[in-house]
Amino acid sequence: DTGVSQNPRHKITKRGQNVTFRCDPISEHNRLYWYRQTLGQGPEFLTYFQNEAQLEKSRLLSDRFSAERPKGSFSTLEIQRTEQGDSAMYLCASSSGLAGVTGELFFGEGSRLTVL
Amino acid sequence: AQSVAQPEDQVNVAEGNPLTVKCTYSVSGNPYLFWYVQYPNRGLQFLLKYITGDNLVKGSYGFEAEFNKSQTSFHLKKPSALVSDSALYFCAVRDGLDTGRRALTFGSGTRLQVQP
């Protein structure tokens, strides 16, 4: 399968612990996005990379959240000192070229975080 | 600021009947508009987009959407619904201004139930 891959698919953690999610985009895609989706809501934008450069960050991305994309390939999203409000599905998407400009994104199946 | 409203949490339609899923938007400049679909345990999938040109855009699986600038709407339509169309549908918008921003704003979603 050559789609967007996210790991782990599910993560249960205790409040205060750190968690890290990984996203492997479609190989030829140079743009990568992180979104967060809570139950009953649409995805909310968190951050965007073009190659290794993080070009856009949402105000939702507090200081406890950090995202990286070393070498412009896979990306990681780390949440430090998790809170119960962080419980959500974390979605990764990728795109390339003009599709990235105009918004046609390819999404992974998401990583579900539950903070106890 | 950009925003999207999907006024219906759920739409029920009988198989074979036409369906409409409503979406209205607000952006500063010209809108880039999208519909995505989410099947159970699957990632979000791109259906169609409006960037410029013809107000009626055609997408995957027989879906189409009509852009109406005066009503700031982008309703999703299909002439004849299938049971397999049952899923969660999201409308999304991005401001077409050349700001370099790539964040899509999604609506809260509309669940489509097609009864046999």
Side-chain angles (χ1 to χ4, degrees), chain A residues 9 31 33 35 37 40-45 48 56 91 99-109, chain B residues 32 34 36 38 41-46 49 51 88 90 94 100-109:
Chain A
R9 294 292 311 281
R31 293 177 170 87
Y33 313 76
Y35 283 79
Q37 185 177 20
Q41 298 297 317
E44 296 173 297
F45 173 77
Y48 156 66
E56 192 175 348
L91 302 174
V101 174
T102 56
E104 181 177 346
L105 307 181
F106 293 80
F107 281 86
E109 295 184 2
Chain B
Y32 289 1
F34 311 87
Y36 282 80
Q38 190 171 38
N41 300 317
R42 301 279 299 276
L44 281 157
Q45 295 177 33
F46 170 81
K49 67 183 177 187
I51 304 300
L88 192 55
F90 291 96
R94 184 167 79 76
R101 296 189 67 244
R102 297 289 179 260
L104 290 183
T105 298
F106 285 83
S108 57

Side-chain angles (χ1 to χ4, degrees), chain B residues 20-69:
Chain B
T20 299
V21 182
K22 296 179 180 178
C23 170
T24 58
Y25 67 89
S26 173
V27 294
S28 300
N30 291 321
Y32 289 1
L33 292 156
F34 311 87
W35 278 99
Y36 282 80
V37 59
Q38 190 171 38
Y39 297 101
N41 300 317
R42 301 279 299 276
L44 281 157
Q45 295 177 33
F46 170 81
L47 268 183
L48 52 79
K49 67 183 177 187
Y50 171 83
I51 304 300
T52 187
D54 195 349
N55 289 345
L56 185 65
V57 293
K58 295 187 183 296
S60 307
Y61 313 122
F63 283 93
E64 57 190 27
E66 185 168 12
F67 170 62
N68 188 316
K69 187 173 184 177

Side-chain angles (χ1 to χ4, degrees), chain A residues 31-102:
Chain A
R31 293 177 170 87
L32 187 147
Y33 313 76
W34 284 99
Y35 283 79
R36 180 174 69 186
Q37 185 177 20
T38 54
L39 200 61
Q41 298 297 317
E44 296 173 297
F45 173 77
L46 292 178
T47 191
Y48 156 66
F49 291 85
Q50 183 168 318
N51 299 313
E52 66 276 9
Q54 189 174 20
L55 297 184
E56 192 175 348
K57 290 171 62 173
S58 165
R59 287 170 293 177
L60 292 175
L61 214 65
S62 75
D63 291 345
R64 297 185 297 106
F65 288 69
S66 63
E68 295 182 340
R69 195 183 181 199
K71 303 178 183 178
S73 56
F74 71 92
S75 176
T76 58
L77 177 68
E78 181 183 18
I79 308 173
Q80 296 181 324
R81 305 182 302 281
T82 52
E83 302 172 356
Q84 288 183 328
D86 297 332
S87 296
M89 179 76 85
Y90 289 85
L91 302 174
C92 178
S94 69
S95 67
S96 69
L98 186 61
V101 174
T102 56

